[in-house]
Amino acid sequence: MKSRELDAPSRAADRAAGPQNQGAAFVRQCLALTEMEMRKLRHDPTELVTRALQPMLWLAVFGEVFSRVRAIPTGGSLRYLDFLAPGVLAQSVLFIGIFYGIAVIWERDLGIVHKLLASPAPRVSLVLGKALSGGVRGLTQGFAVYLLAWILGVGIKWGPGDLAGVALAILLGAAAFSTLSLIIACIVRTRERFMGIGQLLTMPLFFASNAIYPISIMPGWLRVLARLNPLTYEVDAMRALMVRGGSTIFGMGFDFAMLLVSSVVLAAIASRLYPNLAR
Amino acid sequence: MNILETHALTRRYGDLTAVDGVDLSVSQGEIFGLLGPNGAGKTTVIKMLTTLLPPSGGRAVVAGFDIQRQPSRVRQSIGYVPQLVSVDGTLTGYENLLIFAKLYGVPRSERQARISSSLEFVGLQDAANRMVRGYSGGMMRRLEIALAMLHLPKVLFLDEPTVGLDPLARQLVWQHINSLAGEFRMTVFLTTHFMEEADHLCDRVAIMNLGRVAALGQPDELRASMAKPEATLDEVFAHFTGHQLDNGGDFREISRARRAIARRG
Ligand SMILES: Nc1ncnc2c1ncn2[C@@H]1O[C@H](COP(=O)(O)OP(=O)(O)OP(=O)(O)O)[C@@H](O)[C@H]1O
Ligand SMILES: [Mg+2]
């Protein structure tokens, strides 16, 4: 038994750290964090079910009623319910992402954040791992919204390219909002303050977007806000990809570029701030 | 060769100097104890050595790497058990280990073997597939030790490893810490308020008070340095810090232990 592990080749510090090795390690570390979240969900999937209820209410109640009264012009030939479905999907991804910081604050009140930050995983990989798991949660919302929208007779595009595009938009949107949430968590640090800010932020993000009405009917100041809001680009891309007859206003390439840029910028800020949580 | 050295290590929080010019050196394979009352600066020292907190002054070298210039090399060489509970109650013991094995880059071919030998080392193989929130305080601490040794670090930092544990659980943790140094040749750097613990475990101790090292040496040497030759280590501690140790713990410690217990639910 004495010194049985001493000669083992596995002391982490002694292993070679070539550039490919580092790339592979980075991906593995990201995925390890995502896996951590997925395993938690598998133990307790109730969260996914309760989360799916809200978009269902929006579609089945709000959507159905406003389709009937035709109070909101869709800016094109789309039925209101068809116009709304991508907006509701994006909204549910936003809600999942924006409250992500709560989990991070919980991990900080325990010593989990400390241990993650004292591990060799680069800060960026920790942040991206979290962002990706937000995306996977978002995809589960996608299933729920697609299912209900289909039952309600929304004209859904089932092409594999369209579905993949929506999945990518969900992943990027979730990444942007969960990293935004992480940034807020790093700044406010306590659960109570976070809840306050989270509530304060979600509604403006939601209403200052094209999720439930087109930008064309907004007053000028709101248009400016909507153009700065990543949710707008997520919805705009999804509207063309998810429903028959839907189209983008800003162009698919521009939408995805904006989503990517906001995710990258937010992830860069979050990786800078994340170490503060352990101080 | 010293595996850990600090030179005038200092950390200020605003006007408060939490750690004030600390010089320490620890040699390979040693169990080194940092003793001190609440607020002495023990956790702050550990946070700097584990690269979580940048020093305000001075420098430190851990496993041959400078904590400020080569933080990622330092992180590869260390294991860390924070003062707070640091296992995830919503995962099983095995899953906690699996995630950290991946984060630490334990190669796939060795992963399962490392995980089972860590579990076996702390005697948790039978509880491996249970959710951690159902573990006792002692089992959680042992899981944390298993997590921290999984990648066979050169230096292991343990911040108050036995706080809140009953005497039996404490004994068990002591055993594990002893064999980490003996069997695995790890260097262990731990903090504690318990003299008995320091006496039992540590090759050398530094007694800290108000951010400074008040005394440094082997427990026996410190006892010998007192005027009274039959002094207990508790008396040594009181002599160097001006604190009377009350083993009932103060409000802060108790509320912390309670919080830790409440969090498991
Ligand atoms: N983030 C912080 N901001 C301001 N002051 C801090 C911070 N962290 C610690 N301190 C202060 O620094 C001093 C040293 O704290 P530290 O946690 O290192 O003590 P400790 O010896 O670990 O105490 P304990 O036995 O209670 O764990 C204390 O006075 C504490 O209040
Ligand atoms: Mg402490």
Side-chain angles (χ1 to χ4, degrees):
Chain A
M1 283 289 275
K2 202 74 186 151
S3 300
R4 60 182 164 181
E5 305 289 344
L6 249 196
D7 304 323
S10 56
R11 286 204 190 252
D14 298 338
R15 269 196 297 281
Q20 310 100 315
N21 265 353
Q22 276 177 2
F26 185 85
V27 172
R28 190 189 52 234
Q29 284 155 338
C30 272
L31 292 179
L33 255 105
T34 308
E35 183 183 347
M36 185 169 171
E37 298 299 323
M38 294 308 105
R39 284 177 179 269
K40 287 186 201 175
L41 279 183
R42 201 170 66 189
H43 288 303
D44 184 10
T46 48
E47 180 200 330
L48 292 183
V49 177
T50 52
R51 294 258 195 202
L53 290 177
Q54 195 176 18
M56 291 193 166
L57 283 175
W58 272 96
L59 267 188
V61 181
F62 189 88
E64 283 287 353
V65 170
F66 278 78
S67 276
R68 247 155 249 197
V69 299
R70 296 174 203 281
I72 301 174
T74 62
S77 57
L78 278 185
R79 272 198 321 151
Y80 184 66
L81 199 62
D82 294 40
F83 176 86
L84 183 65
V88 164
L89 176 50
Q91 175 214 31
S92 69
V93 173
L94 163 71
F95 281 12
I96 282 193
I98 209 78
F99 285 105
Y100 208 69
I102 283 287
V104 175
I105 289 175
W106 181 79
E107 286 182 354
R108 173 194 183 241
D109 289 344
L110 301 176
I112 296 174
V113 165
H114 302 72
K115 215 150 67 178
L116 291 175
L117 285 167
S119 83
R123 276 71 173 122
V124 188
S125 75
L126 299 174
V127 169
L128 290 182
K130 294 280 186 197
L132 185 58
S133 50
V136 178
R137 279 166 208 251
L139 290 177
T140 64
Q141 297 291 296
F143 284 114
V145 173
Y146 263 74
L147 182 67
L148 185 69
W150 174 67
I151 291 172
L152 294 176
V154 170
I156 287 176
K157 284 183 168 177
W158 294 107
D162 298 317
L163 292 176
V166 170
L168 184 63
I170 289 177
L171 287 176
L172 286 171
F177 292 114
S178 47
T179 34
L180 175 63
S181 180
L182 185 60
I183 291 171
I184 298 169
C186 292
I187 295 170
V188 304
R189 286 156 169 261
T190 71
R191 212 174 300 214
E192 294 72 23
R193 279 184 282 189
F194 186 95
M195 284 313 284
I197 301 224
Q199 310 278 15
L200 206 70
L201 213 65
T202 31
M203 283 305 148
L205 276 170
F206 180 42
F207 288 118
S209 82
N210 53 353
I212 53 174
Y213 32 68
I215 290 191
S216 55
I217 69 166
M218 292 180 186
W221 62 271
L222 194 57
R223 278 185 208 197
V224 175
L225 290 182
R227 289 295 304 260
L228 295 172
N229 184 351
L231 190 66
T232 298
Y233 303 102
E234 187 185 348
V235 173
D236 192 54
M238 281 187 187
R239 208 156 263 152
L241 290 164
M242 183 175 170
V243 289
R244 285 200 298 271
S247 57
T248 81
I249 294 174
F250 307 114
M252 197 71 76
F254 187 74
D255 285 337
F256 276 102
M258 289 303 277
L259 280 174
L260 191 65
V261 167
S262 40
S263 302
V264 168
V265 169
L266 290 165
I269 298 172
S271 330
R272 289 296 294 267
L273 293 179
Y274 192 42
N276 290 346
L277 278 180
R279 287 183 187 163
Chain B
M1 223 281 288
N2 289 323
I3 193 144
L4 188 157
E5 274 184 25
T6 73
H7 301 282
L9 194 63
T10 299
R11 172 70 202 197
R12 282 183 281 274
Y13 291 109
D15 290 339
L16 174 84
T17 307
V19 173
D20 193 358
V22 165
D23 295 305
L24 295 173
S25 53
V26 177
S27 52
Q28 158 112 45
E30 199 172 18
I31 302 184
F32 186 89
L34 204 52
L35 276 159
N38 288 130
K42 306 180 296 293
T43 297
T44 308
V45 168
I46 285 209
K47 280 188 176 174
M48 288 190 279
L49 295 178
T50 51
T51 76
L52 294 179
L53 188 68
S56 324
R59 54 185 208 90
V61 175
V62 174
F65 303 111
D66 186 287
I67 56 166
Q68 284 181 285
R69 276 179 290 136
Q70 299 158 295
S72 63
R73 302 304 300 272
V74 172
R75 286 182 214 125
Q76 275 169 355
S77 317
I78 63 171
Y80 172 43
V81 179
Q83 186 165 346
L84 301 159
V85 172
S86 62
V87 280
D88 200 310
T90 57
L91 294 172
T92 66
Y94 169 81
E95 287 172 328
N96 270 282
L97 286 160
L98 180 68
I99 301 301
F100 272 87
K102 292 183 177 180
L103 278 182
Y104 272 98
V106 176
R108 184 193 299 269
S109 56
E110 293 174 33
R111 219 177 272 154
Q112 293 307 324
R114 289 289 326 136
I115 292 175
S116 3
S117 81
S118 298
L119 280 167
E120 191 194 333
F121 177 73
V122 296
L124 284 177
Q125 47 297 42
D126 294 337
N129 292 317
R130 275 167 43 201
M131 300 295 279
V132 169
R133 65 166 160 267
Y135 281 21
S136 71
M139 289 165 80
M140 283 195 202
R141 261 319 191 203
R142 276 146 57 203
L143 179 61
E144 292 181 296
I145 290 173
L147 274 164
M149 64 167 284
L150 193 60
H151 55 294
L152 300 171
K154 291 183 173 144
V155 187
L156 196 56
F157 291 94
L158 308 171
D159 199 352
E160 298 194 22
T162 63
V163 74
L165 299 189
D166 65 44
L168 211 66
R170 178 173 300 167
Q171 288 282 347
L172 217 52
V173 168
W174 285 354
Q175 260 177 39
H176 297 323
I177 295 174
N178 258 324
S179 25
L180 285 171
E183 208 177 291
F184 293 87
R185 300 281 313 278
M186 286 180 197
T187 306
V188 179
F189 187 102
L190 61 84
T191 72
T192 179
H193 318 166
F194 299 113
M195 294 307 107
E196 192 198 347
E197 179 157 295
D199 211 0
H200 186 95
L201 269 183
C202 299
D203 299 311
R204 280 188 318 132
V205 299
I207 297 182
M208 257 188 108
N209 192 32
L210 300 173
R212 295 181 188 212
V213 174
L216 177 75
Q218 295 171 4
D220 286 339
E221 287 172 2
L222 292 181
R223 264 193 294 261
S225 73
M226 298 275 291
K228 210 169 70 172
E230 75 282 16
T232 65
L233 209 50
D234 277 335
E235 288 171 309
V236 176
F237 184 82
H239 173 78
F240 284 110
T241 64
H243 281 260
Q244 215 56 53
L245 259 200
D246 170 10
N247 279 329
D250 67 358
F251 173 76
R252 228 175 112 196
E253 185 189 329
I254 289 166
S255 67
R256 200 170 55 213
R258 294 254 167 89
R259 271 205 315 270
I261 289 160
R263 271 186 214 115
R264 270 185 258 149

